[in-house]
Amino acid sequence: MARGSDNTPSWATLVVLAALGTAVTATTNPGIVARITQNGLDYAKEQGVAVLQKKLEKMEIPSFSGSFKIKHLGKGSYDFYSMVICGVQLPSSQIKLLPNEGLELSVTNASIKISGKWKARKNFIKIGGNFDLKVDGISISAGLKMSCDRTSTVTCSSCSSHIDSVNVHISRSSTGWLIQLFHNKIENSLKDTMNSKICNTVTDAVSSKLEPYFQTLPVIVKIDDVAGIDFLLLAPPTVTAETLDGQLKGEVFSLAHRSPPPFAPPALAIPADHDRMVYLAISDYFFNTAGLVYQQAGVMNLTVKDDTIPEKSKFRLTTKSFGAFIPQVAKMFPNMMTQLLVRASSPPHVTVSPAGLALTLALEAQAFAVLPNSSLAPLFLLGMTTNVSVEVSVKSDRLVGELSVDKLFLKLEHSDIGNFSVELLQTIVNDVVPSVVLPKVNKRLQKGFPLPLPSHIQLLNPLLQPHQHFLLFGADVHYG
């Protein structure tokens, strides 16, 4: 990943993930639940503090001046100018969840080193030199508020800064007594300036770095020319001491004509797993909306011709081969090619349980004879049902799958050539479907479905666990 020196995505992504549930738009069950754990927040905090440190190192400290009074000698004036920050230390920090509010970042025991020049004047007496200054005991507290209307936003809702002490060391030790005359004024002026500058820097980091990256959180994602995924935020977050759960619509929809599916998402009971940084609970509703859209679009229709049958197969798509099982085919259509139109007669239905993922699939196979003029003569229509095993995995940022078919059960739905026993075709179907139909379906499934993740994120240590009505995906994250 190409990124700038401030490494913005490294800390922003997990904050974005934490914000997945902070908008209120509906009360329906989600199709997907996104969870960030304290482990994830801690990783985000480390990266965010590194960015904040670089921002603080670039702060500009304005010059300041004042007056002092020496007994019996009267008033004088001083100036501190050309100040440059030469070191920032942020040794202790924490990020935590604030129920129903957002996140809070706190930094304690921080310190800043500053170097610059000073001068003092009393009548015609002028002295000056260089100085080193250390600001100790800095504490910062910043709140992040997430909201959503049509798009998601994040703002710095509050910021406070406190400084314990300011210590000044000047280059000319002989005039150290003079500095003591206005040391308190220096300390107070610098505390006021630094506290304001620190909070301005934090606010700027959120608006200029975090907020733009926050906009990379996907809401509507196009899968292909047929379908897209709606990752709209649905409900406020459920916050505990260790996790934040955000609710996403998690629905696949048709790009040509969107309409609500005739079924609703189930309620999800997500286990209290905290080992990974982020989790996604993907309900069977998500998979079933995908099956509905692709079945209605006709994407699951497949024409099988003889040239698609493996050469090693003993069966060929000809009336002669069919005639060995159904003699009337060869008699009525001698020496002709045949073809099959295989399609899903109803949307495939996925069931997720602790035992795994199961797919119930109902297919139809219409057989045709190819006449000499290339027109098609219908032969018969078979109904086929089967239980399909589903293997799901994650590649990069996509959820991919692979199907394996058990035995197919056949039923003769209609015949244009008279009655015959469908059991005669069992061997043919068991050869054609696994060798021709299934590889094409699995090729499409290997393209996968994008996960609702911000840009430039890598997933590590992936975990997939089936539960009742949902598949739980967990991972650690890295950026690079």
Side-chain angles (χ1 to χ4, degrees):
M1 179 187 78
R3 61 186 177 193
S5 60
D6 61 0
N7 199 24
T8 301
S10 299
W11 66 282
T13 299
L14 283 173
V15 177
V16 172
L17 290 172
L20 284 172
T22 57
V24 182
T25 59
T27 58
T28 58
N29 290 327
I32 295 176
V33 175
R35 166 174 291 180
I36 181 168
T37 66
Q38 189 62 51
N39 288 339
L41 289 175
D42 289 341
Y43 183 75
K45 179 261 300 181
E46 292 175 6
Q47 307 302 319
V49 167
V51 172
L52 179 58
Q53 179 172 334
K54 292 181 179 180
K55 280 282 189 180
L56 292 173
E57 289 172 350
K58 297 177 181 179
M59 281 195 310
E60 295 183 359
I61 308 300
S63 303
F64 61 90
S65 59
S67 61
F68 60 94
K69 186 176 182 180
I70 303 176
K71 192 175 182 180
H72 306 304
L73 295 178
K75 292 184 177 180
S77 63
Y78 63 86
D79 293 278
F80 279 69
Y81 59 99
S82 298
M83 289 182 286
V84 177
I85 293 177
C86 50
V88 175
Q89 296 295 323
L90 306 177
S92 179
S93 58
Q94 182 184 22
I95 191 168
K96 62 181 180 180
L97 296 163
L98 299 178
N100 300 319
E101 294 184 31
L103 301 172
E104 181 184 61
L105 173 67
S106 59
V107 177
T108 56
N109 299 321
S111 63
I112 298 177
K113 292 182 178 180
I114 300 173
S115 63
K117 297 180 179 181
W118 71 279
K119 62 183 178 181
R121 179 175 180 176
K122 174 66 174 85
N123 296 331
F124 299 104
I125 302 174
K126 295 180 181 179
I127 56 175
N130 298 323
F131 73 89
D132 295 310
L133 183 150
K134 187 176 183 184
V135 184
D136 284 316
I138 302 173
S139 60
I140 306 169
S141 177
L144 296 177
K145 182 179 180 180
M146 294 84 172
S147 59
C148 181
D149 183 11
R150 296 186 64 85
T151 60
S152 303
T153 60
V154 58
T155 56
C156 183
S157 58
S158 63
C159 181
S160 62
S161 174
H162 174 76
I163 295 172
D164 284 342
S165 63
V166 176
N167 299 304
V168 182
H169 174 74
I170 65 170
S171 59
R172 295 177 61 178
S173 59
S174 61
T175 56
W177 63 272
L178 185 59
I179 297 297
Q180 296 305 316
L181 295 175
F182 43 88
H183 179 274
N184 288 339
K185 290 187 176 182
I186 297 172
E187 181 174 341
N188 292 334
S189 296
L190 196 58
K191 281 183 178 180
D192 292 342
T193 299
M194 292 295 292
N195 281 329
S196 176
K197 281 285 185 179
I198 288 171
C199 278
N200 287 341
T201 300
V202 172
T203 302
D204 177 69
V206 173
S207 62
S208 65
K209 302 298 181 182
L210 178 56
E211 170 64 14
Y213 189 70
F214 193 78
Q215 298 302 318
T216 69
L217 180 67
V219 177
I220 300 296
V221 178
K222 182 179 178 181
I223 303 173
D224 48 34
D225 292 336
V226 175
I229 306 177
D230 189 340
F231 290 127
L232 181 71
L233 302 171
L234 288 182
T238 302
V239 181
T240 69
E242 297 177 306
T243 64
L244 182 149
D245 290 349
Q247 301 182 16
L248 310 181
K249 191 171 186 65
E251 180 181 299
V252 178
F253 63 92
S254 170
L255 296 178
H257 176 68
R258 184 167 186 174
S259 59
F263 46 85
L268 305 181
I270 305 174
D273 292 336
H274 304 141
D275 292 340
R276 301 297 195 273
M277 293 181 183
V278 295
Y279 288 90
L280 293 173
I282 307 170
S283 77
D284 45 23
Y285 173 82
F286 171 80
F287 298 110
N288 288 326
T289 56
L292 175 66
V293 168
Y294 284 107
Q295 188 267 342
Q296 291 181 341
V299 174
M300 305 178 74
N301 299 348
L302 178 64
T303 299
V304 182
K305 300 180 179 180
D306 186 69
D307 57 7
T308 62
I309 301 294
E311 292 183 3
K312 62 181 180 180
S313 175
K314 295 180 180 179
F315 176 79
R316 309 310 308 177
L317 279 181
T318 63
T319 55
K320 181 178 179 181
S321 289
F322 269 114
F325 302 94
I326 311 172
Q328 57 264 45
V329 171
K331 292 179 181 179
M332 297 173 64
F333 302 95
N335 300 317
M336 296 183 189
M337 303 301 296
T338 61
Q339 67 183 44
L340 299 173
L341 174 60
V342 181
R343 62 192 175 198
S345 55
S346 62
H349 182 76
V350 174
T351 302
V352 186
S353 71
L357 279 73
L359 174 65
T360 302
L361 187 61
L363 299 174
E364 291 180 345
Q366 173 67 57
F368 296 95
V370 183
L371 302 179
N373 63 0
S374 298
S375 62
L376 301 177
L379 301 177
F380 53 83
L381 175 66
L382 291 179
M384 301 182 289
T385 58
T386 182
N387 290 322
V388 181
S389 299
V390 185
E391 292 291 333
V392 178
S393 60
V394 174
K395 290 184 179 179
S396 184
D397 60 348
R398 303 179 79 85
L399 194 69
V400 300
E402 185 172 355
L403 307 182
S404 57
V405 179
D406 296 333
K407 181 180 178 180
L408 288 153
F409 298 93
L410 306 183
K411 179 182 179 182
L412 182 62
E413 299 288 352
H414 176 77
S415 176
D416 293 282
I417 56 173
N419 290 329
F420 61 90
S421 175
V422 293
E423 284 77 11
L424 298 173
L425 297 177
Q426 190 72 58
T427 301
I428 299 173
V429 172
N430 286 340
D431 181 45
V432 170
V433 172
S435 63
V436 179
V437 177
L438 202 59
K440 293 184 180 296
V441 175
N442 283 333
K443 183 179 180 181
R444 172 62 189 85
L445 290 176
Q446 284 300 305
K447 294 180 180 179
F449 299 93
L451 296 171
L453 301 171
S455 61
H456 307 307
I457 182 172
Q458 296 178 0
L459 300 172
L460 305 175
N461 306 318
L463 170 73
L464 283 170
Q465 294 178 342
H467 294 268
Q468 194 63 38
H469 296 307
F470 69 94
L471 181 68
L472 184 66
F473 167 64
D476 294 325
V477 298
H478 181 68
Y479 313 85

